[in-house]
Amino acid sequence: MNKKEEKKKVNFWLALASFIVDKRKAILLLFVFAIIYSILSVDKVQVNQDITSYLPAESETRRGLTVMKDEFITYGSARVMVSNITCSQADDLVETIEKVEGVKSVTFDSSKDHFSGSNALYDVTVGGEDEDPVSIQAIKGIREALKDYDVSISTMIGQVEESAEMLNEEMGVILILSVVVIIGVLLVSTTAYLQIPVLLITFGVAAILNMGTNYWFGEISFVTNSIAVVLQLALAIDYAIILCDRFTEEHRTLDAEGAVKLALSKAIPEISASSLTTISGMVALMLMQFKLGFDMGIVLVKAILFSLISVFFLMPGILLIFAKGIDKTQHRTFIPKITFIGKFAAKTKYVIPPVFLVLLVAAFFVSSNCHYVFDINSVESAKKNASKIASEKIEAVFGASNQLVVMVPAGNYESEEKLLKKLEELPYVTMALGLANQKINDDYVLTAKISARQFAEFTDLDIEIVQILYSAYAYEQGQYGPIITGIDDYEVPIIDMFLFLYDQYRQGYIDLDSEMDEMLTLLYDTLHDAQMQLAGEHYSRFVLSISLPTEGDETYLAMEEIRETAGRYYGKNKVILAGNSTSARDLKESFATDNVVISVLTALFVMIILLFTFQSAGLPVLLVLTIQGSIWINFSIPAIQGQTVYFIAYLIVSAIQMGATIDYAIVISSRYMQLKTGMPLKQAVIETLNQAFPTIFTSGSIMVCSGFLIGNISSDATVASMGIALGRGTLTSIVLVLLVLPQILLLGDFIIEKTALTINLARETKETMGRIRVTGHVRGYVQGEIDADVQGTFQGQMNVSLDSLLPGAQGKIMRLDDEPIDAEE
């Protein structure tokens, strides 16, 4: 870039900054309107609590759930365990539970499946789906009816609303604690007490704008809704701090308004470039097959953009409002110098990089063996909700309940009956439920075909009435042959004929006495419920209980065997499985692809940005390796401890860790690249760490604390696992950029220089000392670093080069007691 282009670029940012500052009152008014709009829009945001809805549309779980939603009703159920009672008392409680309004059925017997030790287990079915009011009220009624007993209830009924309320309360606590942490960190890192409200107002406005505009996307996941604010705070507060620091620097020589204009003109390109790496990590998330990544990625990209808008357009006006207060509340920074770390880096530059390389390879292999889990019930969290505690108690006594749904094309009851018998023979299937194996009495199942005479005997109806009924049924079905040849040999499934009989009776075509009316009505209710649950328009549904864990190779092999068994009657491609096990398997399959997408694209995007930033091919590789190493180390820790990692935590946190904490490496690298031109490398790295540490400390400590707060306070396992991984990962990145990256930069300096994309023209430097007047753009060392447009006088020693001229000035470096020193233009 020549001097003319550079001057034009500088003037553009200054003109833009001046416009923003001059129009600050109008801009402030626009922000007021935007805040009101956002506050009124917060309640419009729809929160999706079903994480499986983000699976790819072509996945079996999504197809299965769609079929079940369209064709079946799934009544809510609960496992109710009453402890410290006798078997006789347990029998008596069956009637108590059955009397609760909304309870459809209670299953209990004296077998070990329902009574063990002094614990009784009741399988309860209610009269609505999981989130229906009747179901929620039924569970409350059961709790009330059994309030005098030691009761544990494991159920999904009402859990969506209950979990959402609890999560909102917890995130409110987390946000408050995060603000306290931020204030504490800023008290240490800022140089004026009234800088803190400026930063908090700026961030608060950005957070409100982001929350209020989430409804633009129709709905967002509960995971995104829960942690977006805290992540926005951790990811974007740097931007406000950068502008605040710039203002402080410029305000030393300029009035408040001039300082804000100049600070903003310098901060806009700097902050915009810094935000690109974070945005690139979020964009990589959006490319995941598992659409939860897109959901979180797009909301966080919007959060970062609103943070930029708030910093660039709102914060200048807020700074001017608080300018006098900032001047009056100045204090020294409490962040210590870390010179000892810089000296350590210089002494160990030949030791630490090889050790890190070995650690990098080891971390890669160890993290590759990390045990990832894909079922939310397999995830451990520091805090557990009441439902989770109850489930663990019941599983400890009676084992886990793993249900698997098998759906096959409808219309062939004989094949269904044969298939159900085959499924019941499988060693791990403890129960198989379908219409074709539900007995009415010792002789018949619901789907058994019987003749008119058999039906008349079964129902005690006149044979003539039944024959007419059979003829009407055949006519309705378009089966005219039996009507012509004789109805006596015509057979119809019992369930179909009973439902047809009820329909004809209600329409007044058949007369029944009161006793038969009561019996038919009661039977209809039972049959209709069974049909709604198990027989759809296009599919029939079987419900299996299997004695296998929700996820794992053994379970996945069993699922394939079930598919093979059903495929013998219907064809494998026509069989659909659904349940927690299929969800875990589908998530595992998408994870394999998404893991590659996240790792490769995030690293690639960041490297491209760094390539243009540093104009070197080698430096981006070194920085990305450092942060990638921190990611591998982050997820090696649970592998070494024998703990599981929820796959969502790995995918999302690895993208955030690469996209956000790479900024720490950029801060150190950019300062090092500047300082090394005017001083020895050892001194440059020491000064680099001292200058970069306040920024890294401020941003890093906020993100670490926010992550660990989320992980230890949230009872939602998904959110908690992400928090722990984020806090641990950020801490790992900070350690590496402070204790490993400096040595890598020192040892790899030769590589950085040799892989530079531009020719570094040797620029003659002038060394002088005394009282010196400088006019022009100088770069070099003046008892510290200087890289600025300067017109003024310095007292001391100078070793600088003259790059360009100030507008209308003649570039010169002159000792006031001597002739001008030659300087290249």
Side-chain angles (χ1 to χ4, degrees), residues 611 615-620 748-758:
L611 185 66
Q615 296 289 298
S616 169
L619 185 56
D749 190 75
F750 176 80
I751 297 174
I752 296 171
E753 292 296 329
K754 288 298 182 181
T755 58
L757 301 184
T758 56

Side-chain angles (χ1 to χ4, degrees), residues 67 134 144 148 273 282 347 373 375 409 422 507 535 591 669 761:
V67 170
V134 64
E144 179 64 25
D148 296 330
M282 302 306 104
K347 291 179 181 179
V373 293
D375 175 47
K422 289 292 184 183
Q507 294 185 44
F591 173 73
S669 302
L761 297 175

Side-chain angles (χ1 to χ4, degrees), residues 33 38 93 120 147 151 195 230 240 253 379 388 419 457 469 511 551 560 578 606 641 646 671 682 743 773 790:
F33 290 141
S38 297
L93 285 181
K147 63 182 180 180
V151 180
Q195 288 177 343
V230 179
T253 56
V379 182
K388 179 71 172 176
L419 175 56
E457 293 173 354
L469 185 67
D511 292 326
E551 57 183 308
E560 286 309 306
V606 169
Q641 294 175 335
Y646 194 33
R671 290 182 184 272
K682 177 181 177 180
Q743 290 90 326
R773 179 181 298 279
V790 178

Side-chain angles (χ1 to χ4, degrees), residues 677-694:
T677 61
M679 61 181 71
L681 296 183
K682 177 181 177 180
Q683 188 61 34
V685 80
I686 293 174
E687 189 63 28
T688 292
L689 290 173
N690 282 330
Q691 291 184 20
F693 183 63

Side-chain angles (χ1 to χ4, degrees), residues 24-148:
R24 60 185 179 274
K25 292 182 180 179
I27 291 173
L28 183 60
L29 185 61
L30 291 176
F31 269 97
V32 170
F33 290 141
I35 291 169
I36 294 172
Y37 166 81
S38 297
I39 291 174
L40 294 176
S41 300
V42 168
D43 290 337
K44 296 180 182 179
V45 179
Q46 299 295 315
V47 180
N48 186 348
Q49 301 286 339
D50 181 12
I51 203 168
T52 60
S53 65
Y54 295 97
L55 281 166
E58 64 276 9
S59 67
E60 186 173 29
T61 300
R62 284 300 316 139
R63 290 188 292 117
L65 292 175
T66 301
V67 170
M68 287 200 291
K69 181 179 179 181
D70 293 342
E71 299 202 12
F72 303 99
I73 182 171
T74 303
Y75 290 117
S77 61
R79 303 177 85 198
V80 180
M81 185 176 76
V82 180
S83 301
N84 304 313
I85 61 172
T86 65
C87 191
S88 175
Q89 290 174 316
D91 278 326
D92 295 338
L93 285 181
V94 172
E95 185 177 355
T96 302
I97 300 173
E98 287 178 335
K99 288 181 179 179
V100 173
E101 185 177 356
V103 172
K104 287 184 70 67
S105 64
V106 180
T107 302
F108 174 79
D109 55 45
S110 58
S111 70
K112 64 178 182 179
D113 292 332
H114 289 96
F115 193 85
S116 178
S118 59
N119 302 285
L121 180 64
Y122 305 90
D123 291 319
V124 180
T125 302
V126 297
E129 296 186 309
D130 285 345
E131 296 306 313
D132 289 348
V134 64
S135 303
I136 296 172
Q137 193 59 43
I139 295 300
K140 290 180 180 178
I142 293 173
R143 293 187 190 278
E144 179 64 25
L146 302 178
K147 63 182 180 180
D148 296 330

Side-chain angles (χ1 to χ4, degrees), residues 494-750:
I494 294 176
I495 184 172
D496 293 347
M497 185 49 64
F498 261 115
L499 294 174
F500 182 72
L501 170 61
Y502 182 83
D503 182 61
Q504 297 302 303
Y505 172 61
R506 287 301 175 200
Q507 294 185 44
Y509 298 131
I510 296 176
D511 292 326
L512 299 175
D513 58 32
S514 59
E515 184 179 349
M516 180 58 72
D517 174 81
E518 184 179 353
M519 184 274 290
L520 183 59
T521 301
L522 182 62
L523 185 58
Y524 171 80
D525 290 340
T526 303
L527 295 179
H528 182 67
D529 281 347
Q531 186 183 48
M532 294 294 291
Q533 294 182 76
L534 302 172
E537 181 180 358
H538 303 100
Y539 286 91
S540 290
R541 177 166 70 166
F542 309 145
V543 180
L544 310 183
S545 289
I546 58 177
S547 58
L548 294 173
T550 302
E551 57 183 308
D553 293 338
E554 185 182 8
T555 302
Y556 302 147
L557 288 173
M559 288 163 54
E560 286 309 306
E561 185 176 13
I562 291 170
R563 189 192 309 282
E564 290 279 355
T565 303
R568 295 173 198 158
Y569 299 92
Y570 298 96
K572 285 180 61 176
N573 294 334
K574 295 182 179 180
V575 178
I576 301 176
L577 306 182
N580 289 338
S581 292
T582 62
S583 175
R585 183 206 56 203
D586 289 341
L587 291 171
K588 182 179 181 180
E589 290 175 354
S590 68
F591 173 73
T593 302
D594 289 338
N595 188 17
V596 175
V597 169
I598 292 293
S599 301
V600 173
L601 290 185
T602 306
L604 182 62
F605 290 158
V606 169
M607 286 184 67
I608 291 173
I609 293 168
L610 297 181
L611 185 66
F612 286 99
T613 301
F614 290 105
Q615 296 289 298
S616 169
L619 185 56
V621 174
L622 297 178
L623 300 188
V624 169
L625 272 180
T626 302
I627 301 303
Q628 186 60 58
S630 72
I631 294 173
W632 288 334
I633 293 172
N634 181 17
F635 291 99
S636 294
I637 294 173
I640 294 172
Q641 294 175 335
Q643 298 176 347
T644 58
V645 174
Y646 194 33
F647 80 106
I648 291 178
Y650 175 81
L651 291 175
I652 293 177
V653 170
S654 60
I656 293 175
Q657 193 175 341
M658 175 61 78
T661 64
I662 192 74
D663 283 352
Y664 309 155
I666 293 173
V667 168
I668 287 179
S669 302
S670 58
R671 290 182 184 272
Y672 170 76
M673 295 294 288
Q674 293 172 6
L675 289 173
K676 74 172 187 175
T677 61
M679 61 181 71
L681 296 183
K682 177 181 177 180
Q683 188 61 34
V685 80
I686 293 174
E687 189 63 28
T688 292
L689 290 173
N690 282 330
Q691 291 184 20
F693 183 63
T695 301
I696 296 172
F697 169 79
T698 304
S699 174
S701 58
I702 290 173
M703 190 176 289
V704 169
C705 291
S706 298
F708 284 133
L709 283 173
I710 292 171
N712 288 284
I713 292 178
S714 177
S715 59
D716 185 277
T718 304
V719 175
S721 61
M722 288 177 56
I724 292 293
L726 181 63
R728 188 179 60 224
T730 305
L731 185 60
T732 306
S733 294
I734 292 172
V735 171
L736 289 189
V737 297
L738 291 178
L739 299 180
V740 176
L741 181 60
Q743 290 90 326
I744 292 176
L745 292 175
L746 288 172
L747 188 62
D749 190 75
F750 176 80

